[in-house]
Amino acid sequence: MSFEPTIVGFLCNWCSYTGADLAGTSRIHYAPNVRVIRVMCTARIDPTFVLKALHDGADGVLICGCHPGDCHYSEGNYKMMRRYPLLKKMLADYGIDEARVRLEWVSASEGQRFADIVDDMTQRVRELGPSPIKEGLARDMAER
Amino acid sequence: MADKLQIAIYWGAACGGCDVAVLDTNEFILDVGAVADIRLWPIAADGKYKDVEAMEDDELDLSIYNGAVRNSENEHIARLLRQKSKLLIAFGACAYMGGIPGLANLTTRDKIFDTAYVDNASIEPGNHKIPRPETEIDGKVLDIPAFYRRVYRLDHVVDVDYYIPGCPPQPDQVKAALLAVVKGELPAKGSVVGAYEHALCEDCPRTRNEKKITRFYRPWEIIADPDTCLLEQGVLCAGVATRSGCGARCPTSGIPCRGCYGPAPGVVDQGAKLASAVASIVDSKDPEEIQTILEGLPDFTSFAYRYGVASSLLQRSHRP
Amino acid sequence: MTDECKIGVYVCNCGTNIAKVVDCDAVAEFALDQPGVTVAKSYKYMCSNPGQEMIIEDIKAEGLDRVVVAACSPRMHEPTFRKALQTAGINPYFLEMANIREQCSWVHDDPGEATGKARALTMAAVRRVAYHEPLEKRSVDMNSNVLVIGGGVVGMTAALELAGGGSRVYLVEREDHLGGNVARVDLTAPFLDSARDVVTSLVTRVTENPRIEVLLESEVTSFEGFVGNFETKVVTKGNGAVSSEFQVGNVVVATGYQQFDASRVTHYGYGKLPNVITSFELEQMLRAGCIETKEGRPPHYVAIIHCVGSRSREFHPYCSRVCCMTALKYAHEVRSAVPGCYVSDIYIDMHAFGKGHEDFYRGASEAKTLFLMYGKNDHPVIRKAGPKDDCEMLIEVNEKLSGEVIEIPADLVILMVGMEAQADSEATARLVNISRDKDGWFIESHPKLDPVATTTDGVYIAGACAAPKDIPDSVAQARAAAGRILARSIHGTIEVDAVFAEIDEEKCSGCRICNDLCPYSAIDFDEEKKRSTVISAVCKACGACVAACPSGAITARHFTDRQINAQIEGVLA
């Protein structure tokens, strides 16, 4: 059986989660590999969540928020916009492949876009293979 | 012998600073000497490994282990001391979090050996020797401790009762912690002792105002106002994300906090929290401008995890 | 933690919507195996009455303390199931939903994969719900007093409406008279009503109203608190500055606009050529009843130029909305005051969008106004006429409709200067904690659905200060803001959402990282205690401060770290 990645998705309630719901009401099909966790705003997303997801075995993490300027809470997505480059840099220094963590802006009307992003990311992570983190840390504890 | 406390103080992958911190308690150490037998303390006393091996289990009332676990000897003695001790304290940032040695987890053992033993200006090309754990001489096998692939914390290899943070822990905190042990006034197992329950800003004498950053400066790039928060002036200071207890010595003296007391209570990943806090206050809504401002933080990862790579969620580089 | 719970898990089939792809029975079976799950059922339509009854009965019979419903999107039925829990006697926040329809059965075709995903999402919900806390909506007092900043037509209209509804109103005006920009106008377009009458009527009613306290030559110097509970200081100049303090529940910002400075458009020669004047300068002449050139003669040729400072890459990109109709008004008024005068109207587009506007336009052209259209990135050129010309100035226009360069004479040129945000709009915005857009206009809560509220609860904006607009629209907004405030003040208290952020005083180190992150200014800093606190009534629970707090001292109710971490663990289990 070939490898199917598990991707944890953090979606903001007002834009991207609604956009994902729209993909559903429009019956747009996409890969089943993303498991969505709803937050009110991408501003709520602590980089720690991303690291925890990777630590706990996620092969990838997808973050979706409102387009800049459209945030329901006025500026929440700008906070994510500021944290994200620093998080990416840290992930790169920890040797995590760039394609495993991704930030996209998806509006409430962009059901198709959400589906396309999920399909694209799933394919890229599939090509990368399973994330080495969970197994690697387990092996560290078993052998020196 | 049974009346006096039986203590061991040991160093793993360490710099010696934690032992000096214990000595820095000055006369107090003499008081300790009066009520305790220090059965093992390589830097200051005569006790040998075989003395420890000969002890009964739990014969030691307290073992204080500083330094990280980098090689098999570090681990071996950690396990030995755990077996022979009622209480085992992880002393200092290295034992608690992996410490500075933990930064090695961002590279690999092979790369480290390469720099130390092969691709090095002081080594004749072609004439390098990479150490091995075992060698045979005259039919006899000689071994040295095995250098592990990565750095581990003390609690990765043994059960730890208490943690005293700091690089090094401040002498008055050491005193307080040791007194607590002596008096038997200990908090729940697994607690951090010798430190406070909030972040450094609480104790920092600088005033704190609006936090909006349009540019980061290296500490030497500006003459920072001594009375105002360093982070507000654009100088990266880890104090916001660091547990207090050290007396805020660094920012009081004009240099930014580097995070050696570890994360605030309840925080799982110190570096991630520092990243979140620092990035959030960047004063821009333009992606390019944000990028430019953040470029003023060279090597942020090593700063944020200066003492804590081994205790971060990812613990080490996972480069294939 | 989960072990100590008694969770009921309900997997909705949604007819065949979910059940066609997801094996709902298998998901329910899987759920029943999880620690803490007491009951797990699969049912046709959970949102139906029998479906809800089932939950309510199970809660009572089995002593369930938490409920997971794996069904459609929570955006659909979360309120429905919360109500069911409330009916059954447990706190409505002990519910968690797993979205296995919109984000599962409707978008995946492989039953195995869809069922696997449904299991993971249900597991996450089960783990999360174990950490839910009982939350209560709270009430805060709503002071019925209102502060109105700006004593123009908008401010006065709002004040009268509010006073009529029983509110006590503090109307603060910077100048020594009420009336604002409309007081500088003679007649209004398109019906040529007297602006003076409008203003006089409002001023009289306002000053006679016992519930309205007018503070002239005054400015608001501080504005603190939160909706229903604001404290404000107003300083009145005059004989020594007098400071007054008021407590209000809401504020209407009606600070209007300022006119664009025509001298910035150097190619029109305003300030150099004596007979190039602004629209407001013409109004002064109209009110005085005498239109004449600087030399004291009635003009033979009058030219009106539109879009001065507006629709321009160099100055302001936006349209100032009122100038086109005002220009037509001038065409009419000039011809009435100076019979025989030739009027040219030099414009880019004729914005005749409102009631009566097109008729007014037609009237102006039937009265033989000469209309000359120029291009948006072009502009007419004014130069002094020669000694042989019978006029003061000549205007050259690259006329678009004819495609020719046309030169027209002018004794008097009227520049239709646009509206711009007041010079102190940034200070005003900071004062009441609202934002401005890139052109300096105050930002509304939603441009279509909520045009008079702002992101700061209790602060309303009305009139031109929010964007250029004419008197009808401004008055509509004034009344809208007043209506909103009166509606909210009806009960004397308002309900505040149960979901907000809280700062643990013990953990807060006073680092102030969070202070400036809140778009609602819901975070205060206690200078004495050196701690930050969240004003829960104002907090909208976006979570920005929660994620940024490096001490982990801030908790987002109903979106705590523990809850989200439990979901992460659940989807990856």
Side-chain angles (χ1 to χ4, degrees), chain C residues 157-452:
Chain C
T157 304
L160 286 166
E161 196 76 32
L162 288 160
S167 294
R168 178 154 182 65
V169 181
Y170 301 103
L171 180 58
V172 178
E173 166 56 48
R174 182 164 54 186
E175 302 297 331
D176 63 359
H177 58 272
L178 295 169
N181 282 314
V182 179
R184 304 160 69 199
V185 167
D186 183 36
L187 301 178
T188 65
F191 303 112
L192 302 174
D193 306 312
S194 160
R196 195 172 316 179
D197 288 351
V198 168
V199 171
T200 312
S201 159
L202 284 167
V203 172
T204 310
R205 287 159 60 206
V206 162
T207 41
E208 286 176 357
N209 192 309
R211 288 210 192 95
I212 304 177
E213 187 174 327
V214 177
L215 296 111
L216 294 173
E217 287 187 282
S218 301
E219 296 207 25
V220 179
T221 53
S222 87
F223 188 80
E224 308 283 335
F226 57 96
V227 61
N229 302 270
F230 291 115
E231 274 173 27
T232 180
K233 280 204 190 77
V234 177
V235 170
T236 306
K237 286 166 281 186
N239 296 330
V242 175
S243 181
S244 323
E245 277 183 40
F246 306 113
Q247 288 177 316
V248 298
N250 294 275
V251 60
V252 179
V253 180
T255 49
Y257 67 92
Q258 69 184 26
Q259 72 183 74
F260 175 77
D261 176 6
S263 63
R264 291 176 62 189
V265 187
T266 49
H267 54 253
Y268 287 150
Y270 178 77
K272 299 216 179 71
L273 295 170
N275 288 303
V276 173
I277 64 172
T278 66
S279 41
F280 275 107
E281 283 167 325
L282 181 66
E283 293 285 353
Q284 276 176 309
M285 289 192 200
L286 290 165
R287 285 157 62 95
C290 177
I291 303 179
E292 47 186 38
T293 63
K294 274 288 183 323
E295 295 78 26
R297 289 193 302 271
H300 200 51
Y301 302 103
V302 170
I304 307 171
I305 301 180
H306 290 222
C307 304
V308 178
S310 309
R311 305 186 75 201
S312 145
R313 256 181 249 155
E314 210 182 335
F315 302 108
H316 296 302
Y318 52 81
C319 161
S320 289
R321 206 163 161 104
V322 308
C323 328
C324 281
M325 290 301 108
T326 310
L328 297 180
K329 177 188 79 172
Y330 292 155
H332 176 97
E333 289 189 280
V334 163
R335 231 187 316 248
S336 302
V338 189
C341 176
Y342 288 101
V343 181
S344 308
D345 194 290
I346 308 170
Y347 68 105
I348 302 175
D349 295 288
M350 192 58 75
H351 286 167
F353 56 89
K355 234 175 179 176
H357 288 192
E358 280 290 344
D359 290 335
F360 197 53
Y361 182 16
R362 199 176 318 115
S365 75
E366 279 166 5
K368 307 263 194 316
T369 309
L370 181 65
F371 286 104
L372 302 167
M373 181 194 269
Y374 70 95
K376 199 153 175 243
N377 296 317
D378 190 7
H379 61 78
V381 178
I382 307 176
R383 47 190 182 81
K384 259 188 102 33
K388 279 187 279 175
D389 300 308
D390 72 336
C391 55
E392 283 285 316
M393 297 166 280
L394 291 165
I395 307 181
E396 198 178 276
V397 182
N398 278 327
E399 212 285 321
K400 281 180 73 178
L401 293 174
S402 62
E404 294 179 13
V405 177
I406 297 180
E407 196 179 68
I408 53 156
D411 296 319
L412 190 61
V413 176
I414 303 160
L415 300 177
M416 299 308 297
V417 286
M419 294 187 181
E420 55 181 26
Q422 295 272 21
D424 64 352
S425 61
E426 188 180 1
T428 306
R430 290 238 170 106
L431 181 72
V432 295
N433 295 316
I434 56 180
S435 340
R436 301 184 309 146
D437 68 16
K438 62 175 171 60
D439 298 313
W441 307 111
F442 299 134
I443 297 182
E444 60 277 281
S445 190
H446 191 291
K448 290 193 174 61
L449 305 175
D450 209 355
V452 294

Side-chain angles (χ1 to χ4, degrees), chain A residues 24-131:
Chain A
T25 48
S26 314
R27 308 297 197 276
I28 299 171
H29 283 221
Y30 52 84
N33 304 62
V34 172
R35 313 264 181 267
V36 171
I37 292 174
R38 182 173 71 133
V39 290
M40 279 298 130
C41 179
T42 49
R44 176 68 190 92
I45 300 171
D46 185 335
T48 313
F49 293 145
V50 177
L51 298 176
K52 177 174 168 65
L54 292 169
H55 169 274
D56 285 4
D59 299 301
V61 178
L62 173 65
I63 303 168
C64 295
C66 306
H67 287 269
D70 293 348
C71 178
H72 178 85
Y73 302 97
S74 160
E75 302 175 354
N77 49 5
Y78 292 121
K79 272 91 178 185
M80 172 49 64
M81 199 193 272
R82 295 167 196 165
R83 293 173 194 154
Y84 186 69
L86 218 47
L87 172 64
K88 288 296 263 185
K89 182 78 184 27
M90 282 160 55
L91 289 168
D93 288 336
Y94 271 86
I96 311 297
D97 201 291
E98 207 270 318
R100 292 195 190 275
V101 176
R102 182 163 163 177
L103 171 66
E104 292 282 357
W105 310 121
V106 175
S107 81
S109 58
E110 288 178 319
Q112 182 63 59
R113 180 168 150 71
F114 178 73
D116 292 341
I117 290 168
V118 171
D119 281 340
D120 184 65
M121 183 164 182
T122 303
Q123 180 52 21
R124 287 186 199 225
V125 178
R126 192 184 283 124
E127 280 162 9
L128 283 177
S131 162

Side-chain angles (χ1 to χ4, degrees), chain C residues 524-542:
Chain C
D524 258 351
F525 187 67
D526 185 328
E527 290 282 356
E528 270 182 51
K529 287 194 200 164
K530 295 263 186 283
R531 296 268 183 278
S532 298
T533 50
V534 172
I535 310 168
S536 48
V538 186
C539 170
K540 301 286 183 221
C542 70

Side-chain angles (χ1 to χ4, degrees), chain A residues 8-12 17 35-39, chain C residues 124 564 567-568 571:
Chain A
V8 176
F10 293 97
L11 268 50
C12 80
Y17 192 91
R35 313 264 181 267
V36 171
I37 292 174
R38 182 173 71 133
V39 290
Chain C
I564 297 175
Q567 279 179 286
I568 296 172
V571 290

